[in-house]
Amino acid sequence: NGRLRRRGGAMPIRKNSATGASVKGKKILVTGASGFVGSALALQLCQDGNAVYGLARFRDMEVRRQLESAGVHIVQRDIYRESIDDLPSDFDYVFSELAMLRNCHENQAEAFDVNTYFVGRLMRHCQGASGVVLASTGAVYLPGTYQWNEEGTIGPRNTYSVSKFGGEVLGRFLSELWQIPTCILRYYYPYGPTGGLIYRWAKQIRAGGEIPI
């Protein structure tokens, strides 16, 4: 949320900036590797010459085959019902893109386990990592018509956003406790050449259709 945690304390970083440097030759874990963001990230990291482990339930076998063919080490796991204790723990970097998005209110115990408590289990298992990236959501901000930024008022309003904010709080705490450099990304509407809300809207507009505003 605008601060990168490093060994020795918190280091402020310039917001909305990136160096464009790629990671190469590292051992990397991507959780949620079957999702839209996670699968694209795992593929790119693998193409960049990293040893990538992709963890997910992998209910979409086509995504699994695509990742496997690219060289991603598949770890099929339901993290709500199964342990990660047998995973390697010597990852250089961890990208946690895993999230429970749907039916959170109806399955609150699972939602908080996946979106909040799993952050603790993951960071404990990978304490030696040089960096951890935790995916969160822009839904943690208080809804309104004002312009949002990283100093905006926090006000999650449903089980999903509350549980994701819980993961942020736990991640920040463990980052400082165990001195793990950690970055939190609050996604709104990720999109790209293969999908996402903006992609679908662009296709509808191009076809002469209407989109909801």
Side-chain angles (χ1 to χ4, degrees):
N1 67 341
R3 299 181 74 81
L4 177 67
R5 303 295 177 183
R6 64 173 178 175
R7 303 187 196 282
M11 178 177 68
I13 60 172
R14 189 176 62 188
K15 299 177 178 63
N16 303 320
S17 64
T19 64
S22 60
V23 177
K24 298 181 184 296
K26 302 298 183 180
K27 187 174 182 179
I28 299 175
L29 173 64
V30 178
T31 73
S34 63
F36 178 65
V37 175
S39 59
L41 177 61
L43 285 172
Q44 185 62 58
L45 289 169
C46 204
Q47 291 170 9
D48 288 342
N50 299 286
V52 180
Y53 288 68
L55 183 150
R57 285 183 289 186
F58 288 107
R59 289 184 283 194
D60 186 333
M61 294 308 297
E62 179 56 36
V63 173
R64 175 172 179 155
R65 283 192 291 268
Q66 184 181 16
L67 294 177
E68 281 183 314
S69 65
V72 175
H73 302 275
I74 298 298
V75 181
Q76 187 164 0
R77 194 68 48 91
D78 181 342
I79 57 96
Y80 179 54
R81 297 172 177 83
E82 299 175 280
S83 171
I84 61 170
D85 290 345
D86 62 332
L87 274 179
S89 59
D90 59 340
F91 293 106
D92 295 300
Y93 295 100
V94 176
F95 292 83
S96 186
E97 302 295 331
L98 189 149
M100 179 175 173
L101 294 165
R102 300 179 180 85
N103 303 315
C104 289
H105 184 71
E106 294 79 8
N107 301 282
Q108 293 183 358
E110 183 174 0
F112 277 96
D113 185 85
V114 172
N115 293 335
T116 303
Y117 304 130
F118 177 67
V119 171
R121 299 198 297 274
L122 180 66
M123 293 182 70
R124 179 183 61 198
H125 189 78
C126 301
Q127 287 186 48
S130 297
V132 172
V133 175
L134 300 175
S136 186
T137 172
V140 301
Y141 293 111
L142 183 70
T145 57
Y146 57 90
Q147 183 176 352
W148 285 334
N149 58 47
E150 292 182 346
E151 281 74 42
T153 303
I154 298 298
R157 285 295 185 267
N158 54 47
T159 303
Y160 168 67
S161 56
V162 170
S163 62
K164 289 301 287 183
F165 184 64
E168 288 190 20
V169 174
L170 182 56
R172 287 198 297 269
F173 170 72
L174 295 179
S175 169
E176 295 181 354
L177 179 67
W178 293 330
Q179 294 295 285
I180 307 172
T182 300
C183 178
I184 296 169
L185 302 179
R186 290 173 176 162
Y187 297 152
Y188 284 86
Y189 300 106
Y191 68 96
T194 61
L197 180 63
I198 306 301
Y199 171 85
R200 295 195 300 273
W201 280 4
K203 287 187 67 175
Q204 287 178 244
I205 292 171
R206 188 174 184 181
E210 297 181 350
I211 62 171
I213 299 297

